[in-house]
Amino acid sequence: MPEFPSEAWCQWAIRLLNEDRDAAGAAEGWDGDFGVVIDREGGAMGISIGAPVNGKLPEPRFVSPDAVEAAQPRFFARASQADWWALIEGGLDPIAAIVQKRLVARGDLTPVIARLQYRGLAERWLERIRSGG
């Protein structure tokens, strides 16, 4: 598993997600891009991910955090490296992270709520990340 956070890790994580049997169904009808900022030692990392194409997320683009925010992606999230990893490991609840202002999230959650039947996809994906693939 590549080191978190890095460009290689992000590409690997997206590949794992795209390989899941439910990925195409979850992506169906989804429109909107994603912007992620990971605040880390040595400088923040900005990641821009386009909307799914043919049921798969495209390769991420690595840009400045300012460019991610300026693009006003439909879905945006920002947190520290430690908090992102705690979310991935399951040690930090996403709602608690937002309430505690450890995670900044913006965007319309309606498409996320509409896809609650794909929660297993997220659980399998996170388990694969935790286990190294």
Side-chain angles (χ1 to χ4, degrees):
M1 169 173 62
E3 183 178 337
F4 174 82
S6 66
E7 291 182 14
W9 186 92
C10 294
Q11 292 163 335
W12 171 78
I14 287 175
R15 190 183 79 248
L16 289 179
L17 181 63
N18 284 338
E19 289 172 357
D20 191 278
R21 66 182 179 265
D22 290 333
E28 189 174 325
W30 187 284
D31 77 7
D33 57 343
F34 306 86
V36 175
V37 175
I38 302 171
D39 292 312
R40 60 188 180 161
E41 245 183 74
M45 177 180 201
I47 307 159
S48 178
I49 307 167
V53 177
N54 297 323
K56 307 260 185 218
L57 283 176
E59 285 286 316
R61 290 178 295 119
F62 301 94
V63 298
S64 74
D66 290 341
V68 171
E69 295 220 38
Q72 297 181 339
R74 181 150 185 208
F75 307 96
F76 175 82
R78 183 176 195 148
S80 71
Q81 177 177 334
D83 286 337
W84 277 117
W85 192 249
L87 287 162
I88 291 165
E89 286 189 315
L92 178 60
D93 177 76
I95 302 301
I98 292 169
V99 170
Q100 296 167 4
K101 299 186 189 242
R102 294 171 65 181
L103 172 67
V104 173
R106 292 191 299 263
D108 178 11
L109 293 180
T110 304
V112 175
I113 293 166
R115 288 168 174 78
L116 284 178
Q117 75 267 27
Y118 293 106
R119 184 172 37 192
L121 163 66
E123 291 168 356
R124 285 190 305 276
W125 178 56
L126 291 172
E127 182 54 39
R128 287 188 71 194
I129 287 173
R130 289 188 290 264
S131 70

